[in-house]
Amino acid sequence: MSPEFLYFVETVLNGLMAGVMYSLVALGFVLIFKASGIFNFAQGVMALFAALTLVGLQTGQIPFSHLINAIFGTDVHSFGWTLPSFFAILITLAIMVLFAYLFEAIVLKHLVNQEPIILFMATIGLAYFLEGFGDLMWGSDVKILDIGIPSGGSLWWEDITRTWVPEGSDYFGMYIDKLDVVAAIVAVVLVIALSIFSQYTKMGRALRAVADDHQAAQSVGISLRTIWVLVWSIAGFVALVAGIMWGAKSGVQFSLSLIALKALPVLILGGFTSIPGAIVGGLIIGVGEKLAELYVGPFVGGAIENWFAYVVALIFLLFRPQGLFGEKIIERV
């Protein structure tokens, strides 16, 4: 095989891996939208907060240490111990479930049957609150997240692909990040599990009923509050997974919350109500932006990856606004 063809294959594979990372964030948006019919603006910040909490627990950092030191004039930052990754993840998950319960009890229960724009504005407020609370609780410095997931290029794969070109060719093997492979496997498992839950369980059907009509769901005995706590807890779990993968890849920093913006085109392509669509949309965006950067970027000055996804999303909004897998809305007058 020619090096040019292998470069193309490498670009596609890395695009698929990047698309999976986008999809992990988009899954949280889909879950909230399916249960409440609103777009959860805070999903990216939830991933950031989960990653900050996980690192803080792992390293034994004292929560609110900066605030404590400023008020009492002390200089304490750590408990002096570290927590195994497994237990840190379990505690972080429990915190995200507690957060879901508190958000429902303090905010959502007062917004039953309100217009979607009201609920959307509530998630904007939640995003800013969580970002400030996370900064106050764990600090704003960049943190390293390590839970033992392998990262870096696969030397085994590079050695194999180096033999696919004629001897003497200027080709050094195909680069595939092991962390991206793990993220792809995790995303596939999540999609399968969430699809089964949504389609074949009683709670999954109740979730879809709540999204269609709050009052009708309550009239047949479905507890709206229970469903909202459940779905926000699941979204918190998905945010934790996304935070782990993105945090391990690029460090836990406050720019991590901006990954929510990259999930928007993924949702527009896949559809706001489709769990598999979140993955397919992410794969299309990931591969498309990598190929565009490789083949079109040199002619337009590069940096196509920054805006390619939004152009594709705009085209979809013009011709298929419900996305590839979204439900087409038909209103009869």
Side-chain angles (χ1 to χ4, degrees):
M1 288 182 280
S2 67
E4 291 76 15
F5 176 73
L6 290 178
Y7 280 128
F8 168 79
V9 174
E10 179 180 351
T11 302
V12 171
L13 289 177
N14 280 288
L16 291 173
M17 301 299 178
V20 166
M21 298 289 279
Y22 299 150
S23 299
L24 282 175
V25 183
L27 278 173
F29 287 104
V30 171
L31 287 170
I32 299 295
F33 192 85
K34 284 174 71 69
S36 58
I38 63 169
F39 177 77
N40 177 25
F41 188 82
Q43 187 66 33
V45 184
M46 287 170 62
L48 167 66
F49 182 78
L52 285 171
T53 303
L54 176 58
V55 174
L57 292 172
Q58 275 187 302
T59 58
Q61 181 181 345
I62 297 176
F64 306 105
S65 57
H66 295 83
L67 183 61
I68 293 172
N69 293 334
I71 294 175
F72 299 103
T74 55
D75 188 26
V76 295
H77 298 282
S78 175
F79 290 111
W81 45 257
T82 58
L83 195 64
S85 299
F86 177 75
F87 294 107
I89 291 174
L90 288 181
I91 296 174
T92 304
L93 180 58
I95 290 173
M96 297 306 291
V97 173
L98 175 62
F99 152 76
Y101 174 80
L102 291 175
F103 183 59
E104 192 282 329
I106 297 172
V107 179
L108 290 180
K109 77 173 185 179
H110 302 291
L111 301 178
V112 176
N113 297 322
Q114 294 294 325
E115 293 293 327
I117 187 61
I118 303 297
L119 293 167
F120 173 64
M121 294 301 294
T123 67
I124 293 179
L126 173 65
Y128 285 106
F129 169 79
L130 266 186
E131 191 165 353
F133 189 71
D135 186 3
L136 193 65
M137 189 173 184
W138 303 112
S140 59
D141 53 310
V142 178
K143 298 171 176 61
I144 298 174
L145 175 58
D146 182 13
I147 63 169
I149 299 177
S151 60
S154 172
L155 298 178
W156 168 80
W157 183 246
E158 288 182 11
D159 291 338
I160 288 179
T161 54
R162 192 181 295 124
T163 64
W164 292 357
V165 297
E167 191 171 341
S169 299
D170 187 20
Y171 183 73
F172 302 101
M174 192 178 296
Y175 180 86
I176 297 293
D177 195 321
K178 289 180 283 189
L179 175 63
D180 291 341
V181 176
V182 173
I185 295 172
V186 170
V188 169
V189 173
L190 269 179
V191 168
I192 293 174
L194 291 173
S195 297
I196 292 174
F197 170 79
S198 177
Q199 297 294 329
Y200 301 106
T201 66
K202 182 178 180 180
M203 293 301 291
R205 290 190 291 270
L207 183 150
R208 298 202 307 274
V210 168
D212 289 337
D213 192 310
H214 293 174
Q215 287 183 323
Q218 288 178 307
S219 68
V220 295
I222 297 175
S223 172
L224 181 60
R225 298 187 62 181
T226 301
I227 291 296
W228 271 355
V229 170
L230 174 65
V231 76
W232 278 86
S233 298
I234 297 175
F237 169 69
V238 174
L240 172 59
V241 174
I244 289 173
M245 296 305 171
W246 278 97
K249 187 178 182 68
S250 56
V252 180
Q253 49 193 315
F254 276 74
S255 60
L256 187 65
S257 62
L258 299 178
I259 58 176
L261 298 178
K262 211 50 178 289
L264 284 175
V266 174
L267 293 167
I268 292 172
L269 264 68
F272 278 81
T273 59
S274 173
I275 292 174
I279 294 295
V280 174
L283 297 180
I284 293 173
I285 292 296
V287 173
E289 66 181 17
K290 295 294 184 184
L291 290 177
E293 187 66 52
L294 178 65
Y295 293 110
V296 183
F299 298 102
V300 297
I304 285 183
E305 286 188 59
N306 295 331
W307 52 262
F308 174 83
Y310 302 99
V311 173
V312 175
L314 178 60
I315 294 173
F316 263 75
L317 285 174
L318 293 175
F319 298 101
R320 191 176 174 83
Q322 74 271 22
L324 292 173
F325 297 90
E327 299 173 359
K328 190 172 183 179
I329 299 174
I330 300 175
E331 294 186 0
R332 293 181 172 85
V333 180

